[in-house]
Amino acid sequence: MNDQHVARSFAAKPHGTAIHLLTRSRRLLIYAAVSLFFSSPLRADSNYYRHFFFDNSLTSSGYFYSQGHVSPPSKLALENGKLPVETAIFRTPPNALRFEWLSNAGGGWEATIHLVNFRNRHPVFLGDTLFFWLYSQQSISAANLPLLWVSDAQENFSAALPLGKFASDIPANKWVQIKIPLDHFLSYSIHPLDPNQLKSVTLSQNSADGKPHTVILDEMKIDFDSATEASRPQTALTAPRNVIARGYDRHIDVSWDAVHGDALERYVIYRSSDGRDFRPIGIQEAGITRFADFLGKSGEKAYYKVAASDRWYRESPLSGEAAGATRQLSDEELLTMLQEACFRYYWDGAHPNAGMALENIPGDDRIVATGASGFGIMALVTGVDRGFITRAQGLERLTKIVAFLERAPRYHGAWSHFMNGTTAESMPVFGVFDDGGDLVETAFLVEGLLAARQFFHGPKEAERNLYARITHLWETVEWDWYRREPDMDALFWHWSANWAAHINHRLTGFNEVMIVYLLAIASPTHSVPADLYYSGWAGQSEAAVNYRRGWGSTIDGDHYFNGHTYYGIRLDVGVGRGGPLFFTHYSFLGFDPHALTDRHTNYFENNRNMARINLAYSIENPGHHKGYGADAWGLTASDGPRGYAAQAPELKDDQGNITPTGALASFPYTPEASMSAFKHYYRDLGDRVWGVYGPRDAFNPDHDWVSPIFMGLNQAPITVMIENQRTGLIWKLFMSNPEIKPMLERIGNVAANGR
C-alpha cells in the first residue's frame, strides 16, 4: 500500500462537549449515549461531518475555504490568496493542502483553513483530540514547524501552540499523524473557547530560520484519542463485492455492495489504465456505495478495484476487478444519463426509514423535506417508467413514503416544511415559529402524490390500496383553513398550533406557488372559491401590489400583469424580468402550463419567455461574471460562496452563481439552449461539477467555488422536466386526475364573467 494515501475517515463516535476539561468517566458516559443515538440506520453523512474538518478540495487550484497573508521578508506560497491544493501527494486521494513558507526575522505569515459550513451542518464536532497528517519530502526539525491556533463558531480563539510540541522531527517522505488534545487549546480571547465548535485552524510563522520549507497537510479531523482502542484486535473488513463499472460519455460510474462492520469509515477507489498498476483516485464515505470517475473524453477504458477502510486507515483486501469504457453518447442517451443520475438522489440517497428526500446531501440526515419529497416522488415515477428501477420497487418506495406521511403530524391537513425522517416529528429548521403547517411545501408534496396516484393505478391490490391511501391524504388537506376567514381574499403560507398565523405570509403571484391555488380550488373536500385565483394569486389589492414591489424593487409587474419587453421578448406576467427560474419549474413539474390561459397569458408561453429572458440576460452578462454565456445560464435559487441566493436576471440579484438546475429544468421551454448548457456543464466542467447525483448544486467561476452539496429541491426538477419535454409523462399523469379539469373550468368561468 502506498504510504502517500489512505481513505478519509467517517465514524460513529461519542458526543463532544463545550467544556474541554471533561473527566474520563463523563466522556465514557457521553460515548455510550451518542453511540446508541447514532446506531439508527441513517446514511453516513451527518456523523462523518461531525468529525472531519478537511479531507479533500473540490477544486485543484487554490482551496476555496482558506486564506493566507504574508509580511515580507517572509514568504508564503498562495494562489489568489488561497492555500495551494496538492494533487501529487496525499494521505487520502485525490488531493491535500500545501504549505510552502520561508520565515525571516522581521516578517510573518499565516494561513487559515476554514470550516466548509454547508447548510444544516451540525455545529458541534465529536471528539477530544485534533488529528491531522503532515508529509514533507525533506526532513524538518520540530523547532522549525509553525505555530498553530484555532477559533470557534463564536469567533473566540486560542493562544498559539508550537506544532513541534506535538511532533518529533518530520522525517523525509513519510506521513506523520499529529495529535493535539483539545484541552491544550486555551482561550486567548475575552470569552471561553469551545474547540468542539471548531471554525478555523491557522498555521503561522514560528522560528525565523531563513530556510524554505514545504509540508503537505491532509485529513484534519476531531475525534476521540483511540490509541489504546486501535491496539485492540479488530475484525478485518472484507473486500467490497459486486463492483460494477458502467461507462458513459465522459465518465465511468463505479458501484459496489455495501460492506458491513462497525469499523467501516470509507471506501478507497483504485483505477488502472492497463489492468495491472492500480492507483488510488478517490474516496467515498461509508454511507454511499457509488463513485463518479470523470475521465474527460470518450473512448477511454479503465479498470477499477475498491477497498474498505476503517478509522485507523487500515484497508481491506482489494475487491475484484471491474472494467468500463466511455463512449460517445447520442443526445437522447445523454438525457437518460442525466435523468438517472439525478433520480439517484431520491433512490439511493433517500432517508432509509421514511423513504423521503433529504434536504441536502451532505447535510443533517435527520431532516427530510416535504416539498423536495413531492418533487422526488415525480422523479421516482420517471425512474420506473425509464426502467431505472422496477415497478415493484417504485410501488414499495411510494408505499413507504405514504406510510410515513400518514403518521407524521399535520396541521389542519398540511405537513410541516421539514420532518425528522425517523420519528416523523416536525423540525422547525427556519426558527421557532416554523413549527406548524406549510401550505406551499404541502402543495408540492400533493403535486407529486397525485401524479403517482395516476401512475400506480393498476388492478393489483397493492396499487389499489396505494391509490386509496393517497386519495385520503389529498382529501384531508384543509386548504380552506389557510384562508383564515370566510371572506379573506387570499391564502396564507403557514399556520401553527403554538403561534397561529404569526408568520403572516400572504400567497401572492407571480412566483413558485401557483400550484397552491390550483390545488386549493380543485380540492373535493376543502376547496376555496375560484375567485381567489384572481383576488389572491393574481390579486390587484394594495397588499398584493406592495408585496410584489417589496421583493422586486420595481413597479414592472407589481399588478401581476407586466406587459414589458426585455431583450425583445414580451413578458405578460412576472415582476421585473421574471424572477428566478424556479418560478417556472416548481408549480409546473406536474401541472401542465399549456393547460392554463387566464386573463393575462398562457402559462407555457409566459414560462418560456421567462426562460428566454433569463438566457438573454446571461448572454449579455451585465455583471461581467466569469463563465456566463449561451451555454452557461439559468439564474435561480441555490447556495453560493456567500450563502443562499435566489438569483434572478437583475444586477441586484446576480451574484455570479451558475446553478445547473436553472437551465436543465427548463428543457420544455428552451430545449436547444438547455442541451447546450448540459453539454458544457458535463463535457467541459464535469471534473468539477459532476458527481454521483448528477451536477452539483451550483458553481461560481468568479470565486473558483463549487458547491459541496446536492439539493433535494434542485435535482428532481431536472429529471422531471426533461421527461416532460421528452414524453410529457408527468404532465399527462397529473392532468389526468379527475379533479383537475373541473378546477380549470371554474377558473375559466371566473375569467369569462369578469369577476
Side-chain angles (χ1 to χ4, degrees), residues 609-631:
N609 286 346
M610 201 173 292
R612 292 173 61 211
I613 290 167
N614 202 297
L615 169 61
Y617 173 92
S618 298
I619 293 172
E620 182 195 35
N621 192 14
H624 306 290
H625 294 296
K626 292 180 182 178
Y628 280 25
D631 58 0

Side-chain angles (χ1 to χ4, degrees), residues 68-70 74-84 98-102 109 111 213-214:
H69 179 266
V70 61
S74 295
K75 297 180 180 180
L76 176 68
L78 297 170
E79 294 193 18
N80 296 318
K82 309 289 187 183
L83 280 168
R98 188 170 75 250
F99 289 78
E100 186 176 345
W101 76 88
L102 187 149
W109 62 267
H213 298 288
T214 301

